[in-house]
Amino acid sequence: MDWNTLISDKRLGLEQYHDPQPHTRSDFQRDYDRLIFSSPFRRLQNKTQVFPLPGSIFVHNRLTHSLEVSSVGRSMANEVTNILIDRHGYDFRTAKLKDMADIVATACLAHDLGNPPFGHNGEKTISSFFTEGAGLALKPMLTERQWCDFAHFEGNANSFRLLTHQFEGRRKGGYAMTYSALASVVKYPFPSTRAGEKGKFGYFETEEEIYLKVAEELGIPEIEQGRHARHPFVFLMEAADDICYQIMDIEDAHKLKILSTAEVKDLFLNFFGEKEQTHMIDSMKRLDDPNEQVGYMRSKVIGALVGGCSKEFTDHEDEILAGDYHGALTANIPGRLSEAYAECSETAWTKIYSAPEVVDIELAGNRIITYLMENLVGAVVAPEKAYSKLLLEKVPHQYDVKSESLNSRLQGVVDHVSAMTDVYALDLFRTLNGHTLPAV
């Protein structure tokens, strides 16, 4: 792959209007602004990240998480850009690298757009509906590829669909993002038939043609049958996400008293050598508030991980451009950073993600999403029934739940459910159960 080709401001659906002339805002800055003002991005403010949406103590939702990931991604991209330009010199071949920060920041904003409500378990709940629940009966009615798309439902693939699909009444090209921004969102550049045990894939059958078009335009090679290389910026987006959810989940757990101040200090100080630890401990003596101490350490840890991941990326530039680099940057950074990050990850799995408040939201979310899927899928399978007709009137017209194709109708249901906020899903659940009525 070649940097000059990988960075393209051509817009999906607006190719014939492509204008290479410079403007006050670059097309990559326009991408970023377009997402900031979009409805799917605003909806993230009412979607659970890990912990239940805040009461008296503020913890992260998917919106604040995405903004922080974007900030970290921009910092990392700026660091990488400076190193690469120093290495290769600044000329027409490397001038486009200056756009890296805007592209990565945009991809970071978009990385969670397709995730359903109620945290990470929402994806599994939708896929389980088809593999373990009432949706299993639909398998004979679908092709193998269509079935795999539903059985392995993946938020990343759904983000790519949300950005690119021409929903009912919308323009061709979806949000008409630049090719480089779209490619930088796709963490798993292969279809659902190659999802494997982890169930990860990058695009639904309905968007495969779009992905292949983007990959060809940017010179992203097919490294084996049905599997493309990642766009290099994906590694930076993924690293920013890894850093934020791992480190910020620990800070949130401290605020909620799931982890003690002493536990968090031990975890965060392990990222540093003895000299730096001594300096940090002295600095924290000026802070009486334990939350401020943790916030100070968190900022230092993120800075260290940004530096480590940037170095890992630039040290392996040739492998990344060849499509030969494997694993996440956070998994491959050497030495102390890697060991400390692994310890944070272990703590998160054993103490945070199994905490009662996290399990409770996952249990409730599972019940709500499953109930909505049962009812909405039942309605599109048997649309002639009186109840189905009433229920389908509740679905926004942009979702094609009245298509002649069963696959399109099912995809419309998944589009609708995955777009819901936690509050909307709960309200609809209560309405369908007759537990709430409009004011008379």
Side-chain angles (χ1 to χ4, degrees):
M1 291 178 279
D2 174 77
W3 290 121
N4 197 48
T5 307
L6 286 166
I7 300 175
S8 169
D9 59 4
K10 186 176 289 187
R11 291 192 174 280
L12 181 69
L14 298 176
E15 291 85 355
Q16 67 271 35
Y17 302 112
H18 181 235
D19 177 11
Q21 299 301 315
H23 299 277
T24 304
R25 287 185 302 154
S26 73
D27 280 297
F28 305 117
Q29 290 172 319
R30 291 173 188 270
D31 279 345
Y32 184 91
D33 295 345
R34 188 167 295 182
L35 286 187
I36 284 285
F37 286 91
S38 71
S39 294
F41 186 72
R42 289 197 300 273
R43 285 198 295 268
L44 294 179
Q45 70 181 309
N46 208 338
K47 287 191 176 186
T48 297
Q49 174 66 15
V50 172
F51 300 103
L53 294 176
S56 58
I57 299 175
F58 184 81
V59 293
H60 288 81
N61 55 41
R62 286 207 180 270
L63 181 76
T64 51
H65 166 72
S66 296
L67 288 169
E68 288 173 349
V69 173
S70 186
S71 176
V72 171
R74 184 182 292 278
S75 296
M76 200 180 308
N78 278 326
E79 197 160 326
V80 168
T81 297
N82 291 336
I83 294 171
L84 293 183
I85 288 178
D86 283 346
R87 175 181 297 169
H88 300 300
Y90 186 75
D91 58 23
F92 73 94
R93 292 166 297 182
T94 59
K96 285 187 176 182
L97 289 171
K98 288 290 187 181
D99 291 313
M100 185 189 303
D102 287 325
I103 299 170
V104 171
T106 299
C108 290
L109 282 186
H111 83 283
D112 267 354
L113 286 183
N115 282 56
F118 302 111
H120 298 286
N121 198 53
E123 291 172 284
K124 188 175 181 180
T125 301
I126 291 176
S127 62
S128 295
F129 169 80
F130 291 100
T131 58
E132 301 173 6
L136 186 58
L138 301 172
K139 187 174 182 179
M141 307 177 196
L142 301 168
T143 67
E144 180 188 2
R145 175 66 186 279
Q146 291 168 349
W147 173 252
C148 283
D149 282 356
F150 294 123
H152 298 294
F153 175 80
E154 221 289 324
N156 189 249
N158 202 42
S159 293
F160 188 74
R161 174 177 170 84
L162 195 153
L163 291 171
T164 61
H165 184 71
Q166 185 178 4
F167 290 96
E168 294 294 305
R170 303 297 178 89
R171 65 180 172 185
K172 183 180 179 182
Y175 279 88
M177 307 291 285
T178 61
Y179 280 34
S180 291
L182 291 174
S184 300
V185 173
V186 184
K187 290 173 66 174
Y188 315 105
F190 45 84
S192 59
T193 48
R194 299 185 63 98
E197 292 183 2
K198 293 185 177 180
K200 300 294 186 182
F201 67 100
Y203 46 83
F204 298 117
E205 182 181 36
T206 47
E207 284 72 56
E208 181 171 34
E209 185 178 338
I210 294 173
Y211 175 76
L212 295 178
K213 179 180 180 180
V214 169
E216 182 179 7
E217 173 73 21
L218 301 181
I220 299 174
E222 187 176 30
I223 54 179
E224 58 182 78
Q225 183 67 35
R227 181 188 294 265
H228 282 72
R230 280 178 159 188
H231 190 292
F233 294 168
V234 171
F235 290 100
L236 300 178
M237 178 272 287
E238 179 184 52
D241 184 31
D242 289 347
I243 290 169
C244 285
Y245 83 72
Q246 200 68 267
I247 303 307
M248 302 311 299
D249 286 354
I250 288 175
E251 184 175 15
D252 281 349
H254 175 260
K255 289 180 180 178
L256 294 170
K257 304 190 185 305
I258 295 171
L259 295 177
S260 69
T261 303
E263 287 177 300
V264 176
K265 283 183 177 180
D266 287 342
L267 288 171
F268 284 176
L269 289 174
N270 284 341
F271 282 89
F272 306 96
E274 185 177 345
K275 182 178 179 181
E276 185 70 10
Q277 285 187 20
T278 300
H279 170 75
M280 291 172 66
I281 291 169
D282 287 341
S283 296
M284 282 189 288
K285 290 177 181 177
R286 298 192 292 270
L287 302 171
D288 295 327
D289 186 342
N291 287 326
E292 289 296 314
Q293 293 177 347
V294 169
Y296 165 74
M297 288 187 293
R298 176 258 302 152
S299 68
K300 298 286 286 185
V301 168
I302 289 177
L305 287 170
V306 165
C309 289
S310 299
K311 185 177 187 304
E312 175 69 16
F313 184 96
T314 53
D315 284 351
H316 297 275
E317 178 191 6
D318 290 342
E319 294 167 59
I320 290 171
L321 288 174
D324 292 333
Y325 186 86
H326 304 290
L329 296 176
T330 51
N332 292 327
I333 48 178
R336 183 186 298 114
L337 288 178
S338 177
E339 294 169 6
Y341 184 86
E343 189 175 357
C344 286
S345 180
E346 176 66 20
T347 299
W349 281 109
T350 57
K351 293 190 175 183
I352 298 176
Y353 304 144
S354 60
E357 48 267 76
V358 177
V359 175
D360 286 348
I361 197 71
E362 290 185 345
L363 286 170
N366 184 291
R367 183 71 189 96
I368 292 168
I369 292 175
T370 299
Y371 181 85
L372 296 179
M373 289 292 295
E374 288 172 349
N375 278 263
L376 289 165
V377 167
V380 299
V381 170
E384 72 283 356
K385 293 183 178 180
Y387 179 73
S388 298
K389 292 177 181 178
L390 283 173
L391 185 54
L392 293 179
E393 288 302 314
K394 293 279 294 179
V395 179
H397 294 302
Q398 72 190 72
Y399 304 124
D400 195 12
V401 293
K402 298 181 181 179
S403 169
E404 292 295 318
S405 161
L406 174 62
N407 182 63
S408 295
R409 298 199 302 272
L410 292 174
Q411 191 71 64
V413 169
V414 173
D415 289 335
H416 182 35
V417 172
S418 62
M420 292 178 183
T421 64
D422 293 16
V423 171
Y424 180 85
L426 176 59
D427 285 348
L428 184 57
F429 174 80
R430 287 170 171 166
T431 298
L432 297 184
N433 275 287
H435 294 162
T436 184
L437 288 171
V440 178

